[in-house]
C-alpha cells in the first residue's frame, strides 16, 4: 500500500464545495462497472470513486450498532446522534429467520466490540477498512479485527440480497450528479489547498469510497 495515498473519502473542503455547486452530468461511458467490487467505477484527475460492498457493509453495520449502543447507554452519546433511514430499517422485514440470526450476531458484535471506537482515529479500524477495500491482506489484522472481518464476511450474502442493490445504485447516482463539477473545480481548489499548506498534492489519485453512512460529519479522510 502506498503510504502517501489518502485511503478514504476526500479532502473535506473539496467535498463540501462539490456538494454545494450545481451538478452537471458526465457521459455514461465514463461511469464504468466496477470489476470485482475493488476497481473504481469512475475517476478524475485527482480522485478515483469506488462503490465497494464490503466497505459499505462495514459502515452500515457500524452506524446501526452505534445508534443502538447510544440508545442503550452502553456508550456515551455524542452530537449529532447517529440516525438510520426508514427504508433501511424497514428492509429488516425481508430477512428470513436464518438471515436474521446472522444479522443479529454481526450487529451484536459491532454493538459490543466496535461501536464505542472511532472509525476515523482507531488505527486498527482504519486497517480493517483498508483490508475490506482490498488495500491490505487480512493477515495484517489483529485478532479482534479478524473476528470483526469474519462477521462481515458471514453477513455479506444477506447484505448483498437485501440492502446492497439500492446502496450501490445510490452511490453511483451521487457520483454521476457531481462528477462534472469535480472535474471542473478540482484543480483550482487543490492548487489553493496546496499553496495554503505549502505541500504537494498526494499521488497517486485519492481513493474515494462511497457508503450509505460514514462518520457523524458525513465524510472523513484517513491517510496523510
Amino acid at each position: 500500500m502506498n503510504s502517501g495515498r489518502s485511503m478514504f473519502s476526500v479532502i473535506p473542503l473539496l467535498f463540501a464545495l462539490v456538494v454545494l455547486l450545481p451538478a452537471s452530468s458526465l457521459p455514461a461511458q465514463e461511469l464504468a462497472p466496477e470489476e470485482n467490487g475493488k476497481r473504481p467505477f469512475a475517476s478524475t484527475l485527482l480522485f478515483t470513486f469506488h462503490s465497494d460492498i464490503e466497505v459499505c457493509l462495514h459502515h452500515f453495520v457500524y452506524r446501526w450498532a452505534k445508534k443502538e449502543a447510544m440508545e442503550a447507554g452502553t456508550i456515551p452519546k455524542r452530537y449529532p446522534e447517529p440516525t438510520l433511514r426508514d427504508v433501511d430499517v424497514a428492509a429488516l422485514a425481508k430477512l428470513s429467520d436464518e438471515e436474521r440470526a446472522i444479522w443479529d450476531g454481526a450487529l451484536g458484535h459491532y454493538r459490543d466490540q466496535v461501536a464505542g471506537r472511532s472509525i476515523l482515529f482507531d488505527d486498527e479500524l482504519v486497517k480493517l477498512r483498508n483490508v475490506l477495500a482490498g488495500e491490505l491482506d487480512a493477515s495484517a489484522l489483529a485478532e479482534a479485527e479478524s473476528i470483526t472481518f469474519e462477521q462481515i464476511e458471514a453477513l455479506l450474502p444477506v447484505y448483498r440480497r437485501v440492502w446492497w442493490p439500492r446502496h450501490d445504485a445510490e452511490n453511483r447516482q451521487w457520483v454521476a450528479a457531481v462528477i462534472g463539477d469535480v472535474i471542473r473545480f478540482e484543480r483550482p481548489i487543490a492548487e489553493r489547498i496546496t499553496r495554503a499548506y505549502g505541500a504537494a498534492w498526494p499521488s497517486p489519485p485519492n481513493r474515494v469510497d462511497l457508503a450509505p453512512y460514514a462518520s457523524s460529519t458525513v465524510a472523513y479522510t484517513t491517510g496523510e
Side-chain angles (χ1 to χ4, degrees):
M1 181 177 64
N2 188 320
S3 60
R5 186 177 185 183
S6 179
M7 291 307 302
F8 189 83
S9 191
V10 301
I11 302 299
L13 173 61
L14 177 59
F15 193 88
L17 288 173
V18 169
V19 171
L20 293 174
L21 290 169
S24 58
S25 61
L26 189 72
Q29 63 267 25
E30 296 193 38
L31 292 172
E34 195 175 32
E35 298 178 17
N36 301 321
K38 301 302 176 188
R39 295 179 60 85
F41 67 88
S43 60
T44 67
L45 179 65
L46 301 180
F47 303 101
T48 60
F49 296 89
H50 298 251
S51 182
D52 184 279
I53 187 171
E54 292 176 296
V55 172
C56 286
L57 175 55
H58 171 54
H59 286 83
F60 181 50
V61 182
Y62 177 82
R63 169 63 69 90
W64 200 306
K66 200 172 192 71
K67 181 178 185 297
E68 287 194 355
M70 283 190 183
E71 291 174 347
T74 56
I75 64 173
K77 287 191 175 182
R78 296 284 187 268
Y79 179 82
E81 294 182 27
T83 59
L84 295 167
R85 292 184 297 172
D86 291 342
V87 65
D88 285 326
V89 177
L92 279 176
K94 300 178 181 180
L95 271 59
S96 66
D97 291 344
E98 181 180 357
E99 289 173 329
R100 185 59 188 258
I102 296 171
W103 166 262
D104 289 343
L107 182 64
H109 172 80
Y110 265 74
R111 190 171 54 242
D112 297 339
Q113 304 297 328
V114 184
R117 299 158 61 190
S118 170
I119 207 166
L120 172 57
F121 296 113
D122 187 300
D123 290 342
E124 293 303 317
L125 286 185
V126 172
K127 187 182 295 183
L128 172 63
R129 196 219 63 85
N130 292 345
V131 168
L132 296 172
E135 299 288 343
L136 281 178
D137 187 81
S139 62
L141 295 174
E143 182 178 357
E145 278 57 58
S146 293
I147 296 173
T148 303
F149 178 74
E150 291 171 0
Q151 292 288 340
I152 284 292
E153 293 300 296
L155 185 57
L156 199 59
V158 180
Y159 178 68
R160 189 189 302 276
R161 186 183 76 80
V162 177
W163 289 281
W164 173 241
R166 177 168 46 81
H167 288 168
D168 183 44
E170 290 169 349
N171 290 342
R172 294 167 187 271
Q173 289 165 4
W174 188 90
V175 171
V178 303
I179 197 169
D181 286 326
V182 177
I183 293 170
R184 179 183 176 189
F185 293 105
E186 63 181 346
R187 184 187 293 274
I189 292 177
E191 289 175 349
R192 292 183 183 184
I193 292 173
T194 55
R195 282 200 304 270
Y197 285 94
W201 190 265
S203 179
N206 290 254
R207 175 183 175 122
V208 182
D209 276 290
L210 284 297
Y213 303 93
S215 70
S216 58
T217 54
V218 182
Y220 71 93
T221 304
T222 62
E224 296 300 322

